[in-house]
Amino acid sequence: LVPPVPDDQNFFCAPIVAEALQHVRNENADPFAHPAYRMNFSIYRGNSESWPTSGGNWQKGKLTDLKQWQRYFRTFSETPEGKTNGFPVAAPPQSPAADVLLALSSFNPALEELRQASLRPDARIPLNYENGFDAAGELLPWLANMKRCAQFLQLRILAELENGQSEPALEDVKLLFRVTDSVREQPFLISHLVRIAMTAINLQPIYEGLAQHRWSDAQLAELEQVLARQDYLADFEFAMKGEKTTAIATFERQRLTRESKQWVESSGTNKLVTISYRFMPSAYFYQNELAFAQMHEQFILPLVDLTNRIVAPAVFRQTQTAVEAQKKHCFWPYKAQAVMVIPAINASVTKIARIQSQVDLARVACALERFRLAHGNYPETLDALVPQFIAQLPHDLINGQPLHYRRTDGGQFVLYSVGWDEKDDGGQIFLTKGGSVDQKKGDWVWQYP
């Protein structure tokens, strides 16, 4: 048994967090109601057509245009809704960064309360984990609220950096990581996927601060240490064991109740639908429990080689083939539910590999910037960074080989992993038809505009 956590040490018992957790659990709550609860950091209000749509994207080497946000805040303040539920604006306009910080200043009291709450040493959400995936479903509104908090903090950090406030920006980067890690010990895969999304959000201002030389040497050293603690490969085994336990508990609960509940999106809202298993034999549930436990050991855990810190796409492909073969077995119904869970888990592995690779690239980029501050330019090789600027260089987790690095014209550099296709494309990214970065083709690249 896990010992209880005293309320005064639990992040989720801090008044601002407990209040928000209770609010978002109400499925009828309006996520844009402000200020229905203090930890509502939604920066998107009014007509969605007026929201900024062209944000920064460090994977494309694109910086954030704060002028768009300045226009959005000022335009919204002139609408009927904005006059009663708007953001503070200055007349006449200030710099984009100053106007953005002013607009976000209405959140300052809640932000400082959240900052104090984040310093609590434990984070235990009050959930009935015996409910299996139903318990995970209870988390979904809260995870969405966390992501909105991350979007707010990202914008605030970007404005602080552009406004020359690198120290408050660093404190907010650290705060965002603490909030992100508040669900690190949750035994549900979805909580770790949201952590990945929030870490990706946090990487954008870190990148922009590096690209524009906003961070000091001391700040870069601290950033590298903060990033080094983000170990998604180590978290993989815990998340997968939690997913196994949750899946088996869910199958067993279905056997006992002969029903399951599933969230289904309808007309823009989520509805809880009950599925009946009234005439299903008990063997169906027992066999699926057994099948999932076996597949977990045989197919899921080997996807990440934690000892050598490698996520090999070849192993991933072998697993996919093996799971597909399970569907051709004559006892397929006895594995139906187990096999349905596996694809979602497999898909998460590529996300884990990508975010860990991106965090590793960011760590090396911090060390490279420290070298540039000390010597006036970037080094010829990454080996020059060790041990003064980074204790140990992370390797390319796709193949275990050194990360690729070269200096480029104009005093810049290209740093990259070979990516999911395992091919060295010379530091080139590929785009999908929709214009987003293709994560399965090309390299995973860190380079500046």
Side-chain angles (χ1 to χ4, degrees):
L1 294 177
V2 179
V5 174
D7 287 355
D8 61 354
Q9 298 179 29
N10 188 354
F11 171 76
F12 287 97
C13 289
I16 188 171
V17 182
E19 171 192 274
L21 185 61
Q22 181 179 6
H23 180 89
V24 300
R25 276 177 162 174
N26 179 1
E27 63 182 89
N28 295 320
D30 180 358
F32 297 106
H34 180 80
Y37 55 102
R38 288 169 294 163
M39 194 182 164
N40 178 9
F41 294 106
S42 177
I43 52 179
Y44 296 96
R45 300 180 193 166
N47 191 334
S48 61
E49 293 180 359
S50 67
W51 297 350
T53 56
S54 181
N57 187 322
W58 70 263
Q59 294 181 71
K60 295 181 180 181
K62 183 180 179 182
L63 303 179
T64 303
D65 182 5
L66 291 181
K67 291 180 182 178
Q68 288 193 20
W69 284 97
Q70 181 186 41
R71 286 195 296 270
Y72 158 66
F73 288 132
R74 299 188 69 84
T75 301
F76 178 69
S77 70
E78 296 300 319
T79 66
E81 181 184 353
K83 290 178 180 179
T84 58
N85 185 28
F87 303 91
V89 294
Q94 310 172 92
S95 69
D99 265 2
V100 168
L101 288 173
L102 175 61
L104 300 180
S105 65
S106 60
F107 296 113
N108 284 355
L111 177 64
E112 293 312 308
E113 193 171 347
L114 177 64
R115 196 184 306 278
Q116 292 304 310
S118 74
L119 299 175
R120 296 189 176 197
D122 289 297
R124 187 81 57 81
I125 302 179
L127 283 175
N128 184 0
Y129 294 97
E130 294 181 0
N131 288 342
F133 287 134
D134 288 347
E138 291 183 46
L139 266 185
L140 293 179
W142 171 254
L143 295 174
N145 190 62
M146 284 180 57
K147 193 170 179 180
R148 289 193 292 271
C149 177
Q151 293 168 335
F152 155 73
L153 281 170
Q154 182 199 68
L155 182 60
R156 178 182 161 96
I157 297 164
L158 289 166
E160 287 170 333
L161 286 170
E162 190 165 315
N163 210 39
Q165 300 171 258
S166 60
E167 194 58 36
L170 176 60
E171 291 304 311
D172 285 342
V173 167
K174 290 155 58 178
L175 170 61
L176 179 46
F177 274 126
R178 289 197 298 271
V179 173
T180 300
D181 283 346
S182 67
V183 292
R184 190 173 194 169
E185 296 184 0
Q186 289 302 307
F188 307 119
L189 179 58
I190 184 61
S191 62
H192 293 270
L193 294 177
V194 172
R195 285 182 58 227
I196 287 173
M198 292 176 67
T199 297
I201 289 171
N202 210 355
L203 284 178
Q204 184 67 30
I206 292 174
Y207 168 86
E208 295 198 24
L210 284 163
Q212 298 177 314
H213 309 306
R214 307 284 194 188
W215 304 112
S216 70
D217 180 75
Q219 291 166 347
L220 289 164
E222 189 168 2
L223 269 176
E224 192 275 321
Q225 290 299 308
V226 171
L227 288 163
R229 292 195 289 270
Q230 308 306 309
D231 192 345
Y232 283 93
L233 297 193
D235 295 338
F236 170 79
E237 186 173 356
F238 171 79
M240 292 304 102
K241 287 183 176 179
E243 197 73 1
K244 178 188 73 173
T245 303
T246 302
I248 292 174
T250 299
F251 299 156
E252 183 64 8
R253 191 161 177 262
Q254 291 172 359
R255 183 187 69 82
L256 295 172
T257 63
R258 285 301 194 272
E259 67 178 28
S260 67
K261 298 183 184 299
Q262 182 175 342
W263 288 96
V264 176
E265 186 175 349
S266 176
S267 302
T269 60
N270 289 328
K271 294 184 178 180
L272 198 59
V273 177
T274 300
I275 301 173
S276 175
Y277 296 112
R278 182 178 178 183
F279 300 107
M280 193 69 71
S282 294
Y284 169 82
F285 303 100
Y286 287 136
Q287 290 292 341
N288 272 281
E289 291 171 23
L290 175 62
F292 190 81
Q294 291 173 332
M295 285 190 232
H296 176 268
E297 297 297 324
Q298 185 177 356
F299 301 137
I300 297 176
L301 290 184
L303 291 172
V304 173
D305 180 353
L306 188 55
T307 301
N308 297 304
R309 295 190 67 78
I310 291 176
V311 184
V315 175
F316 177 83
R317 290 190 292 270
Q318 291 169 5
T319 297
Q320 284 186 311
T321 301
V323 171
E324 286 299 314
Q326 296 290 322
K327 297 181 181 180
K328 300 177 182 178
H329 195 279
C330 61
F331 295 111
W332 152 247
Y334 284 163
K335 299 181 179 180
Q337 293 217 59
V339 171
M340 283 192 291
V341 176
I342 296 293
I345 294 176
N346 283 353
S348 70
V349 174
T350 59
K351 296 180 181 180
I352 290 171
R354 185 169 67 248
I355 195 64
Q356 187 64 61
S357 179
Q358 292 171 343
V359 166
D360 290 347
L361 292 174
R363 289 181 57 208
V364 177
C366 288
L368 285 165
E369 180 66 4
R370 293 186 67 201
F371 186 99
R372 188 197 67 82
L373 288 173
H375 299 282
N377 54 21
Y378 295 111
E380 292 187 10
T381 68
L382 294 181
D383 292 336
L385 301 176
V386 181
Q388 182 178 358
F389 302 108
I390 190 170
Q392 184 177 357
L393 287 168
H395 60 246
D396 191 334
L397 56 84
I398 294 297
N399 55 21
Q401 299 300 309
L403 291 167
H404 291 267
Y405 165 82
R406 68 175 184 274
R407 294 196 297 190
T408 60
D409 296 338
Q412 297 287 0
F413 66 85
V414 177
L415 174 69
Y416 64 95
S417 156
V418 295
W420 198 248
D421 63 3
E422 304 177 89
K423 295 190 302 181
D424 182 356
D425 294 295
Q428 182 180 2
I429 65 169
F430 292 86
L431 302 180
T432 65
K433 291 182 179 179
S436 59
V437 177
D438 193 328
Q439 304 295 352
K440 295 185 178 179
K441 295 180 181 178
D443 300 326
W444 294 339
V445 185
W446 188 288
Q447 61 181 336
Y448 300 129

